[in-house]
Amino acid sequence: MRTRPRQSLALTVDRGETAFIVGAGTLSVHITLGTTSQAVTLLFPGDLFRSSFAPPQAKAALVSAAKAEVWRLRASALEELATRDPAIARFVDQALVNQMARRAMHAVMLGQFDGEQKVATFLAQVRNSRRA
């Protein structure tokens, strides 16, 4: 599916778990608790997000930063494809490894970096995502 800037995507389809793969563009994961809504992570091309990754007690959505391309499928279908095709299994594993590495850097950044270092790290992440 192609998205418009600031388009919000529901995380579930037919109440089942859904998998999203970012094909192009950047999306953010927005979490709402009570009256507070915040972007908690960015997704870049090649990233994978499953609806079960969102906290169950919060309202969550994917929001496109600009025009984007997102592949949406049932999580069970992605699992079946990964079982049958080693290349897809490797893609899923590598996507999750890359995202976990970015999350670790993000945690360090929040706790240790000053404002300029945070911006530089963010820009480096955006630049690296465009190379992938």
Side-chain angles (χ1 to χ4, degrees):
M1 68 186 349
R2 296 188 190 282
T3 65
R4 302 177 311 276
R6 294 178 294 286
Q7 181 177 348
S8 181
L9 305 175
L11 290 187
T12 59
V13 177
D14 300 332
R15 297 184 187 206
E17 186 176 3
T18 307
F20 298 84
I21 299 171
V22 181
T26 303
L27 287 91
S28 59
V29 178
H30 280 251
I31 302 292
T32 302
L33 289 171
T35 59
T36 303
S37 180
Q38 185 170 352
V40 295
T41 193
L42 295 175
L43 301 173
F44 299 106
D47 281 352
L48 168 68
F49 186 83
R50 289 175 63 148
S51 54
S52 64
F53 294 174
Q57 66 276 20
K59 179 182 172 191
L62 293 180
V63 179
S64 59
K67 290 181 181 180
E69 181 181 305
V70 181
W71 300 320
R72 178 177 65 187
L73 62 155
R74 286 187 173 83
S76 58
L78 179 60
E79 290 169 2
E80 183 180 327
L81 288 169
T83 300
R84 287 190 280 142
D85 188 334
I88 293 174
R90 281 190 303 275
F91 166 80
V92 169
D93 288 344
Q94 192 59 53
L96 296 175
V97 165
N98 292 343
Q99 287 169 249
M100 291 305 296
R102 276 201 323 268
R103 283 192 184 116
M105 178 56 90
H106 183 75
V108 168
M109 178 180 69
L110 288 176
Q112 307 261 332
F113 291 0
D114 64 23
E116 286 182 7
Q117 290 170 318
K118 289 176 184 178
V119 170
T121 302
F122 170 74
L123 292 174
Q125 287 177 348
V126 170
R127 181 173 168 233
N128 288 338
S129 74
R130 290 185 177 157
R131 288 184 183 170

